[in-house]
Amino acid sequence: MWLLRRKGPSGFSSSSTAEEVTDGIDGTGLTAIVTGASSGIGSETARVLALRGVHVVMGVRNLEAGRNVKETIVNENPSAKIDTMELDLSSMASVRKFASDYQSSGFPLNILINNAGIMATPFGLSKDNIEQQFATNHVGHFLLTDLLLENMKKTAVESEKEGRIVNVSSEAHRYTYPEGIQFDGINDESRYNKMQAYGQSKLSNILHANELTRHFKEEGVNITANSLHPGIITTNLFRHFNYGNGLANTVGKLIFKNVQQGAATTCYVALHPQVKGVSGEYFMNSNLHKPTQHGQDVDLAKKLWDFTTNLIK
């Protein structure tokens, strides 16, 4: 469709691929973590970052699937530097173990891509008794970021290179609960709506990046934090929709992105020089985009920060 080819100020459009938006960029010497890298846009993000010379650590729930992705990437690009480590974002114990193992590895950390996610699941609680979508999409990444921040700060100083945190959010943040975040009913099954709960978790990704930005500016830290909408992509996120496969087969070619296009904005925000010094922003189609009023609410971001900090204690 012609609309997909309309370029924004960055020079890229919704039809741009991850390889196109990183063309000519040398990521040699950088180390990145990509969560949820065993499938979909996560695996494509890992592949393209490795193609640009970045050392990629794949945080994956299924180690066998992660190793298969690593093997595929290395077969295509023998010089790729890829590691896989087990990570279940729905479990704080798993997140803490991942962070501890990562620190023990001695790896620096320039780029943290909080990509993993689940979508519109039936109501359920995580191992930590937190609603599953909020736990996986937000709390797990909030804790992971918190545990790795000292490494990122140290790396930014020693490498003299800007650190970047990239939260993969969604335009679904526009369809959250009326109050934005249902602080008093996160675990209330009677008030649970699977799509609004998904929107709530994706709004949380935006607010997390915004509040990180405020903290970084106060501390004078050379790290940025941004969020983004990758696009509507035919990945296994749709497995909880009865109509998902049929929809993808009938109209998918017209309105959905492929995985190569879906990973583009993530790779753009993680690597492109145009994004240097940019923080607390929301991107779509590798261009700046405006989130909802909730997504720009400073007080809501602070409240979410305090609320989540209490959850991870």
Side-chain angles (χ1 to χ4, degrees), residues 7-298:
K7 294 179 179 179
S10 69
F12 303 113
S13 70
S14 58
S15 64
S16 299
T17 66
E19 284 197 27
E20 288 170 348
V21 302
T22 59
D23 185 39
I25 296 174
D26 184 4
T28 304
L30 300 177
T31 302
I33 290 174
V34 182
T35 69
S38 62
S39 64
I41 63 173
S43 61
E44 176 66 2
T45 298
R47 183 188 76 82
V48 173
L49 292 185
L51 185 65
R52 302 306 177 213
V54 178
H55 174 200
V56 179
V57 178
M58 299 165 52
V60 296
R61 188 169 52 183
N62 184 325
L63 272 177
E64 183 179 357
R67 291 187 186 114
N68 289 339
V69 170
K70 174 183 175 179
E71 183 179 350
T72 300
I73 292 172
V74 172
N75 284 341
E76 176 194 302
N77 175 18
S79 64
K81 296 170 67 177
I82 301 272
D83 286 285
T84 56
M85 293 175 60
E86 188 173 11
L87 174 61
D88 179 356
L89 272 303
S90 70
S91 163
M92 290 193 210
S94 177
V95 173
R96 292 185 189 280
K97 184 178 187 306
F98 175 92
S100 176
D101 290 346
Y102 190 88
Q103 303 295 57
S104 298
S105 73
F107 294 148
L109 183 58
N110 303 92
I111 303 166
L112 173 60
I113 299 178
N114 292 319
N115 164 79
I118 56 176
M119 178 180 180
T121 57
F123 181 83
L125 298 179
S126 71
K127 295 173 184 176
D128 304 293
N129 291 315
I130 303 168
E131 188 277 308
Q132 194 77 6
Q133 293 193 80
F134 191 74
T136 304
N137 298 350
H138 169 62
V139 177
H141 282 127
F142 184 99
L143 176 60
L144 179 67
T145 303
D146 183 66
L147 294 173
L148 295 173
L149 266 183
E150 288 308 311
N151 187 325
M152 290 199 75
K153 291 175 183 178
K154 181 182 177 184
T155 301
V157 171
E158 293 181 350
S159 68
E160 297 183 344
K161 293 178 180 176
E162 174 184 87
R164 296 188 184 184
I165 296 171
V166 182
N167 284 356
V168 178
S169 178
S170 169
E171 279 290 89
H173 83 276
R174 300 181 186 279
Y175 308 105
T176 183
Y177 296 105
E179 64 269 48
I181 308 293
Q182 204 169 243
F183 291 108
D184 63 343
I186 293 291
N187 293 347
D188 188 343
E189 185 174 3
S190 68
R191 295 162 63 185
Y192 182 76
N193 175 287
K194 66 182 183 180
M195 273 311 300
Q196 287 180 307
Y198 178 66
Q200 172 179 254
S201 71
K202 295 287 99 179
L203 171 62
S204 298
N205 295 149
I206 295 173
L207 295 174
H208 178 215
N210 293 354
E211 186 64 6
L212 276 169
T213 295
R214 190 179 70 81
H215 283 251
F216 293 156
K217 287 180 178 176
E218 284 185 354
E219 297 174 35
V221 176
N222 189 24
I223 303 174
T224 62
N226 292 291
S227 56
L228 63 94
H229 170 59
I232 305 174
I233 305 132
T234 50
T235 69
N236 59 10
L237 275 180
F238 281 95
R239 63 188 178 276
H240 294 290
F241 289 92
N242 294 330
Y243 57 82
N245 290 333
L247 179 65
N249 290 333
T250 54
V251 300
K253 290 182 180 179
L254 294 177
I255 65 171
F256 289 172
K257 291 184 177 184
N258 59 36
V259 171
Q260 293 76 24
Q261 294 166 335
T265 305
T266 303
C267 290
Y268 172 80
V269 176
L271 278 187
H272 207 284
Q274 289 178 352
V275 190
K276 184 176 181 180
V278 176
S279 194
E281 296 289 354
Y282 177 66
F283 290 80
M284 185 170 77
N285 300 328
S286 300
N287 284 277
L288 287 169
H289 194 66
K290 281 288 184 188
T292 60
Q293 288 301 309
H294 282 318
Q296 302 172 61
D297 189 326
V298 174

